[in-house]
Amino acid sequence: WSTQYSWGSRFNNDGADDAFYTDPSQGFGGYTPSVISGGTLNITAEPVPSGYADPTDGTPRHWLSGVLVGSPLRYGYVEVSAEEPNLQGFWPAPLWLLSSTGGTGKAPNLTELDANEVFGNVYPPGTINQTIHYGSYTSSLAAQTVVTPQPDTAYHTYGILWTSAGAQFFIDRLATSPMYPAKTLSAMYPYINLGVFASATWAAPPVTSAPQTMRLQYYRWYQNAGASCSPSVITGPTPTPTSTPRHRH
C-alpha cells in the first residue's frame, strides 16, 4: 500500500480537505499516522505540531493524517470492517475506489465509488454517505444516505459489489442500493483515508484539536473470475436517495 494519492500527491485537491497525508519520510518528528496494533489498523489525524511549518501546495494544511492506496484491481466484492469518528470536522472514508485511467490527479472524467463517507456534522449522527461520482467534483451518478447505529463506537462492515453491470453498496452484508451504473471498465485503486475539513468550506471545521482515530479490522477484495461475486445476504435497509451534490475526496 502507498501512503500518497495514486498520482503521487500528498494533498487532496478538492479544496475542502485540511489534511496533509504524511508518513515518517516527511518529517514532523517521524509522525506515523497509520499503525497496525493488536491486529487493528489505526489511522490517526492530529494537528501539525508546534514548531513545524504547515505543509502547503499553495493552500496551507493544518492537520496530519494518513491515506493508504492499494494496487488497482478490476471487479469483485470489496469489504472493510471499520469503526470511525463521527464528529464535526472529520471526514473518514474507510472504503472508496478511484479509476486508474482518465487523467492526472483527480481529473473530472475519473469514476469514484464511495461506500462510506461521514461528513462530520453535515448530516445527523450515524449517517453514512454512499456515492458514485463521474464528471465534475460535485456531480454524482447516484447518491444516498444510510443511518448506521454507532459507527463511532462499534465495528460495521461496508462493501461494494462491482461488476461490468455497475456497482452496488452494502452495510453489514445487507444491500443498501440497487445496482447502479458505474461508467468505468478500467481497474480501480482501493483507498482508505481520514480527512479533516478546512474552515470556510461546505462542512464545518473540527470542533476539537484532539487527535481522532479511524480503526479497521480488515480490508478485503474478493475476485471470482468469470462468475458473480457477492455477499450471501442481498436485502437490507431502505436508503434515503438525495439530490444534494456529493463532494469528492
Side-chain angles (χ1 to χ4, degrees):
W1 291 76
S2 170
T3 58
Q4 56 188 342
Y5 280 90
S6 53
W7 57 90
S9 176
R10 295 185 179 276
F11 298 93
N12 182 348
N13 63 359
D14 80 337
D17 197 343
D18 200 24
F20 175 73
Y21 292 100
T22 190
D23 64 30
S25 71
Q26 300 301 301
F28 303 103
Y31 180 62
T32 305
S34 304
V35 176
I36 295 177
S37 177
T40 300
L41 171 64
N42 302 289
I43 299 180
T44 301
E46 69 170 39
V48 174
S50 60
Y52 292 92
D54 291 329
T56 182
D57 61 349
T59 301
R61 304 305 205 273
H62 304 98
W63 287 72
L64 304 178
S65 191
V67 63
L68 295 174
V69 184
S71 299
L73 294 171
R74 186 168 179 258
Y75 298 154
Y77 177 69
V78 195
E79 183 177 86
V80 62
S81 174
E83 177 186 281
E84 56 200 311
N86 189 18
L87 191 65
Q88 177 182 311
F90 297 93
W91 189 1
L95 172 54
W96 57 289
L97 309 179
L98 188 67
S99 55
S100 58
T101 59
T104 302
K106 298 183 73 175
N109 56 334
L110 291 179
T111 295
E112 180 180 314
L113 309 180
D114 297 323
N116 177 333
E117 289 183 281
V118 175
F119 295 146
N121 69 331
V122 176
Y123 295 97
T127 301
I128 304 299
N129 294 270
Q130 299 179 315
T131 313
I132 299 177
H133 293 286
Y134 184 83
S136 71
Y137 290 129
T138 58
S139 71
S140 58
L141 291 172
Q144 62 184 39
T145 60
V146 181
V147 176
T148 299
Q150 301 178 317
D152 54 339
T153 60
Y155 284 96
H156 294 273
T157 64
Y158 305 94
I160 302 173
L161 175 61
W162 174 38
T163 73
S164 58
Q168 184 176 26
F169 297 119
F170 293 79
I171 296 179
D172 291 332
R173 294 287 179 97
L174 304 177
T176 56
S177 79
M179 181 67 76
Y180 290 127
K183 277 201 173 183
T184 182
L185 300 178
S186 68
M188 301 190 83
Y189 290 99
Y191 272 80
I192 308 167
N193 79 293
L194 175 54
V196 183
F197 286 112
S199 299
T201 58
W202 55 273
V207 70
T208 178
S209 60
Q212 298 295 310
T213 299
M214 178 172 67
R215 298 175 175 85
L216 279 71
Q217 292 179 311
Y218 63 79
Y219 196 115
R220 298 169 180 165
W221 192 312
Y222 302 92
Q223 289 183 298
N224 187 6
S228 175
C229 177
S230 64
S232 58
V233 180
I234 58 172
T235 59
T238 302
T240 303
T242 177
S243 59
T244 303
R246 290 288 185 272
H247 293 254
R248 304 176 80 162
H249 294 267

